[in-house]
Amino acid sequence: NAGVTQTPKFQVLKTGQSMTLQCAQDMNHEYMSWYRQDPGMGLRLIHYSVGAGITDQGEVPNGYNVSRSTTEDFPLRLLSAAPSQTSVYFCASSPGTLRTQYFGPGTRLLVL
Amino acid sequence: AQSVTQLGSHVSVSEGALVLLRCNYSSSVPPYLFWYVQYPNQGLQLLLKYTSAATLVKGINGFEAEFKKSETSFHLTKPSAHMSDAAEYFCAVRMNRDDKIIFGKGTRLHILP
């Protein structure tokens, strides 16, 4: 199993550009989530999904969209990037919320 | 609202000394609690979790944590620190009626030789 994979590993955007951060898992996990990590702020939940076709907002959803058309994939979309979205983004998956979350390696995003 | 608070953004202990990382939560219902560790430039990995069974939970690498409902705490301990324990540690909480898992701000553990 590849586990949780994230692409790209690093991205530079200009303000106003759009992009999609990809996240995929091959463990047939129902639960997937996106976090952003900023210095001194820990990990903050952006969006999460308890299964295909179901998504919900986390703590800091503004400026981000998600969809879950398949069990394996959970892309995070930035429609109009802002410098405040400069961060490291982690995707995670688990069989359920009481089970261990497996984290991807992260995507480092810089918005100029 | 649910929240988790980690006291101390940085903690330094000498090698061989006791490690104590503090985590308190706010909840009106029994929560599920987790401790994760993040080594430099890596993702997070689970150390241990409390899911309403035994209140003293043992994890990997010699870490353990005790759930104390009266104190709304889930502090992480290790009897003897090792240099390899230097990392950032995150406490996380999931409330029974909610699928969100919320993380604390993290505590960076420094081990002094």
Side-chain angles (χ1 to χ4, degrees):
Chain A
N1 287 349
V4 180
T5 58
Q6 292 183 237
T7 57
K9 291 184 178 180
F10 181 73
Q11 183 71 47
V12 180
L13 291 178
K14 294 181 180 178
T15 297
Q17 287 185 316
S18 63
M19 80 160 295
T20 299
L21 307 185
Q22 301 292 344
C23 174
Q25 52 90 11
D26 60 359
M27 298 173 282
N28 201 32
H29 288 170
E30 292 294 326
Y31 185 89
M32 296 186 73
S33 55
W34 276 103
Y35 293 89
R36 59 178 289 174
Q37 183 177 25
D38 303 289
M41 300 298 292
L43 276 78
R44 292 181 291 173
L45 181 65
I46 304 172
H47 286 285
Y48 65 102
S49 168
V50 298
I54 305 170
T55 63
D56 208 342
Q57 296 182 347
E59 301 171 274
V60 289
N62 293 340
Y64 306 95
N65 284 344
V66 292
S67 60
R68 185 91 181 273
S69 56
T70 67
T71 298
E72 294 78 20
D73 300 297
F74 191 43
L76 178 72
R77 298 184 186 84
L78 285 71
L79 298 180
S80 179
S84 61
Q85 294 178 305
T86 293
S87 187
V88 181
Y89 292 85
F90 286 101
C91 177
S93 77
S94 74
T97 53
L98 297 185
R99 306 284 293 276
T100 302
Q101 285 203 96
Y102 294 87
F103 283 79
T107 293
R108 192 172 297 270
L109 177 66
L110 174 63
V111 183
L112 302 175
Chain B
Q2 60 198 42
S3 72
V4 57
T5 302
Q6 291 184 242
L7 298 177
S9 57
H10 292 266
V11 170
S12 295
V13 301
S14 298
E15 189 174 19
L18 172 71
V19 175
L20 171 61
L21 304 182
R22 300 177 187 275
C23 174
N24 288 88
Y25 65 92
S26 64
S27 171
S28 58
V29 298
Y32 298 113
L33 296 153
F34 309 81
W35 274 101
Y36 282 82
V37 60
Q38 184 181 33
Y39 297 103
N41 299 314
Q42 295 186 24
L44 279 73
Q45 56 182 286
L46 182 71
L47 274 178
L48 49 80
K49 61 183 177 182
Y50 167 76
T51 57
S52 75
T55 56
L56 181 62
V57 181
K58 295 186 183 297
I60 61 172
N61 301 338
F63 284 94
E64 62 183 37
E66 185 173 8
F67 172 68
K68 292 186 177 180
K69 183 178 178 181
S70 60
E71 299 178 6
T72 60
S73 68
F74 191 57
H75 301 331
L76 182 70
T77 61
K78 181 175 181 178
S80 178
H82 192 273
M83 295 300 291
S84 61
D85 295 326
E88 190 156 20
Y89 292 79
F90 294 93
C91 183
V93 61
R94 176 199 179 270
M95 303 305 176
N96 276 355
R97 301 170 188 164
D98 196 316
D99 289 317
K100 297 179 185 178
I101 298 176
I102 304 299
F103 282 75
K105 294 185 177 182
T107 297
R108 186 168 297 278
L109 177 64
H110 305 271
I111 309 297
L112 307 174

